[in-house]
Amino acid sequence: MTTDDVSTATGSPASAGKARAKVPGEGSFWLSEWVFPLFVAALAAGIFAGTHLYYVYRTGTFSDVAVTAMLKAGMDSGSYGAAAAFGAGFLFARVIEGPMVGILDIGGSLQTGVGIGIPAMLLAAGVTAPLEHFWLAVPTGAVLGALIGALILAIRRATVNSAGGTSTFGADVMMGAGNSAGRYLGPLVIIAAATASLPVGLGSTLGAALFYWWKKPLTGGAILGAMLFGLFFPIAGK
């Protein structure tokens, strides 16, 4: 038996490493890096189009009730500062976090950022056309998504995928801090839901109370309760 035979039979570290390095479908369309911006563009196009439907028909948004209430308050009062700051802040944080930890939070980056933050900034600047016309909303969302996907890849190449790059640059700490701080947002969600409508606010309060009784985070109960009551008591449009 030759040396090569022994190495194969015993499973040398080199051969084991090669076996682990092989990923099913590696190099295919679905796992190629360049297709990531296309996926993000498709998601963002649908989400932005949903915001267009809400802007025109008061239904269709992909964001949760509490966040959508911020946009509705801006549409009613003409002040989009809260929605723009909240949505854009989430978008910025998730775009920085995603490349580092390898997870893109669709809820924070796209549903909140592209669905609420960017539309609020456009409306605050007096740009209403992308939100008034469906045919313009879809390509606008797609372009925004493609830019976000390309930016994430650029950040990833400059940090964790750079030569000798092995650090998450603190993004994992930011991810943990966000999850820990989320438990204190329950009362704010209840207030935002109550501002949207009385039944939705009542549902949010009951959901938070149940989750408190079950020793679960209040925020989840407040959001689920608001969504459930919003299903049976929809917010009437103008």
Side-chain angles (χ1 to χ4, degrees):
M1 181 181 289
T2 65
T3 303
D4 291 336
D5 293 332
V6 173
S7 298
T8 304
T10 57
S12 66
S15 61
K18 290 180 180 178
R20 285 193 299 268
K22 182 62 177 177
V23 178
E26 185 176 6
S28 66
F29 170 82
W30 300 106
L31 294 184
S32 59
E33 187 178 77
W34 63 269
V35 81
F36 174 73
L38 297 181
F39 289 150
V40 181
L43 286 170
I47 291 170
F48 198 92
T51 306
H52 147 74
L53 293 176
Y54 183 79
Y55 183 77
V56 176
Y57 304 107
R58 297 298 191 273
T59 185
T61 177
F62 285 93
S63 295
D64 58 59
V65 173
V67 181
T68 303
M70 295 183 182
L71 181 63
K72 181 179 183 297
M75 292 164 56
D76 294 338
S77 64
S79 177
Y80 295 95
F86 185 81
F90 254 98
L91 177 60
F92 175 77
R94 297 317 182 202
V95 167
I96 296 298
E97 174 191 83
M100 310 299 184
V101 300
I103 300 173
L104 177 62
D105 184 351
I106 295 176
S109 62
L110 300 183
Q111 290 179 246
T112 300
V114 176
I116 299 297
I118 294 179
M121 288 190 291
L122 291 175
L123 292 172
V127 180
T128 61
L131 294 164
E132 291 177 342
H133 307 287
F134 181 80
W135 63 269
L136 192 55
V138 172
T140 299
V143 170
L144 291 172
L147 291 175
I148 291 171
L151 179 59
I152 288 174
L153 291 181
I155 294 174
R156 188 166 183 82
R157 287 185 178 182
T159 53
V160 294
N161 278 2
S162 61
T166 57
S167 173
T168 60
F169 293 84
D172 48 351
V173 177
M174 178 175 63
M175 186 176 183
N179 294 336
S180 298
R183 69 187 65 178
Y184 302 106
L185 297 178
L188 297 179
V189 173
I190 295 174
I191 293 173
T195 303
S197 77
L198 183 59
V200 170
L202 179 61
S204 181
T205 303
L206 292 176
L210 283 175
F211 270 50
Y212 177 79
W213 184 50
W214 292 330
K215 295 180 173 56
K216 301 294 183 181
L218 293 181
T219 308
I223 294 175
L224 291 176
M227 293 175 64
L228 180 62
F229 272 58
L231 177 64
F232 295 101
F233 303 97
I235 300 174
K238 291 183 177 180

